[in-house]
Amino acid sequence: MAKQLIFFSTFLTILCFGQRVAFDPTIKVTYDSKLQLGEKYQHNQKFVLVGNSQNYYFGAAQNYLNDTGQYEIKGIDTRAISDYFQERLIRSNNKTSVFITIIDSKVRYEEKGGIKWVLYSDTKIINGIKCQMAATNKFGRRWIAYFSKDYPQSLGPYKFNGLPGLIFELYDTRDDYHFTLTKVEKYTDEFDFNLNEYKNYPKDKYLKAKYNMEFTLAGYPADMGEELRRELQNAYDRKKKMYNNPLELKPFE
């Protein structure tokens, strides 16, 4: 009986805390970005990154406040207002978790692997800091990064890490996605987040589920009426035209 109790206690602990991520950041970085989300739709977005060289969180500014419990309601509650780039990332134990909330659905996927960079001797000054150039081919795009060894944390926007210093600027050669560091500061508050409530899928199934939630009527009742269904589908078709240029043109490259 005692062995059974120990087994079930251990099982419940894994179930409740197996996907809890906790780490001690050393810096907090703010990036401004220009996002060409569609052929005729561009948006500027602020992002926040907190982490150390092994572990980090990256997300749009409103989601960062929501995820860390720092959002304070002043007047209208804006927690449910979507940032234009809804996916957030947590990298821990050499594994990246990408997760998203759409309406009441919460899904995620996990992947391993890193970015293979080529370093160049070219340099430029960004926010008063000398930065060195690097480049990589990833996700169907050619990416240019400028990083600084003055900040030894091997961090950068989105999944772009692995350089011998913090990335100050990152963009693809089409300049569809362009991130520029605007602020970096010491940060020592523990980061703690529970991924248990996000259903884990393989990446291909995650992408399919995300597409269905964002652009189809898959979550609507079948008996809504033909006229309403047609109107909603037309609205989603217009949305698809707005968001037809994803950052990952080739998600499995």
Side-chain angles (χ1 to χ4, degrees):
M1 177 63 73
K3 290 183 178 179
Q4 290 178 325
L5 289 175
I6 292 173
F7 171 79
F8 284 113
S9 176
T10 303
F11 175 78
L12 288 174
T13 299
I14 293 173
L15 182 65
C16 294
F17 300 102
Q19 294 301 326
R20 181 172 291 280
V21 178
F23 59 85
D24 296 316
T26 56
I27 59 172
K28 176 182 178 182
V29 183
T30 302
Y31 290 99
D32 282 349
S33 70
K34 176 184 71 68
L35 312 176
Q36 191 69 43
L37 300 169
E39 293 176 6
K40 297 181 180 180
Y41 182 47
Q42 184 185 112
H43 185 76
N44 297 326
Q45 177 74 64
K46 189 177 295 293
F47 288 89
V48 175
L49 180 154
V50 294
N52 52 56
S53 285
Q54 289 75 42
N55 311 299
Y56 72 93
Y57 165 99
F58 176 81
Q62 179 65 56
N63 280 325
Y64 166 72
L65 295 177
N66 297 344
D67 290 340
T68 56
Q70 297 183 60
Y71 177 73
E72 296 181 5
I73 300 175
K74 297 179 180 179
I76 299 175
D77 186 349
T78 62
R79 282 176 296 182
I81 297 177
S82 296
D83 278 313
Y84 286 85
F85 193 94
Q86 268 289 302
E87 287 181 313
R88 292 99 80 197
L89 289 83
I90 292 176
R91 182 163 179 81
S92 179
N93 297 320
N94 296 316
K95 179 176 62 180
T96 300
S97 297
V98 179
F99 56 102
I100 192 170
T101 303
I102 301 178
I103 309 177
D104 294 325
S105 298
K106 297 185 176 184
V107 296
R108 64 184 171 94
Y109 70 90
E110 299 174 350
E111 65 181 7
K112 294 184 178 180
I115 306 293
K116 296 181 180 180
W117 297 96
V118 176
L119 304 186
Y120 294 87
S121 59
D122 304 57
T123 61
K124 67 188 295 188
I125 303 298
I126 303 173
N127 290 337
I129 303 295
K130 184 179 181 180
C131 298
Q132 182 180 344
M133 178 182 168
T136 187
N137 297 319
K138 193 68 174 176
F139 309 128
R141 298 178 186 271
R142 175 73 169 170
W143 296 91
I144 306 298
Y146 284 89
F147 68 95
S148 171
K149 294 181 180 178
D150 290 348
Y151 294 86
Q153 292 88 351
S154 181
L155 302 173
Y158 194 57
K159 300 174 182 177
F160 293 92
N161 53 61
L163 284 167
L166 177 66
I167 294 177
F168 272 58
E169 185 177 24
L170 174 75
Y171 57 90
D172 68 291
T173 52
R174 291 169 36 171
D175 205 30
D176 288 341
Y177 288 81
H178 198 137
F179 302 86
T180 304
L181 183 149
T182 56
K183 186 177 182 181
V184 57
E185 55 192 311
K186 290 183 179 180
Y187 190 78
T188 57
D189 292 346
E190 182 187 38
F191 180 87
D192 188 346
F193 192 82
N194 193 345
L195 286 166
N196 273 329
E197 58 189 286
Y198 292 83
K199 187 173 182 179
N200 191 19
Y201 288 100
K203 187 173 182 178
D204 59 340
K205 293 184 178 180
Y206 165 92
L207 292 172
K208 184 176 181 180
K210 179 175 177 288
Y211 177 88
N212 287 337
M213 289 188 295
E214 290 183 323
F215 301 122
T216 76
L217 305 181
Y220 287 83
D223 59 350
M224 70 172 65
E226 187 59 34
E227 183 177 354
L228 178 57
R229 176 175 292 275
R230 185 167 54 252
E231 290 178 0
L232 288 173
Q233 189 57 63
N234 287 338
Y236 278 123
D237 289 342
R238 291 193 295 272
K239 183 180 178 183
K240 278 191 287 187
K241 291 181 180 180
M242 291 177 65
Y243 292 87
N244 60 4
N245 186 35
L247 187 153
E248 296 191 15
L249 291 174
K250 297 180 179 180
F252 300 97
E253 183 181 71

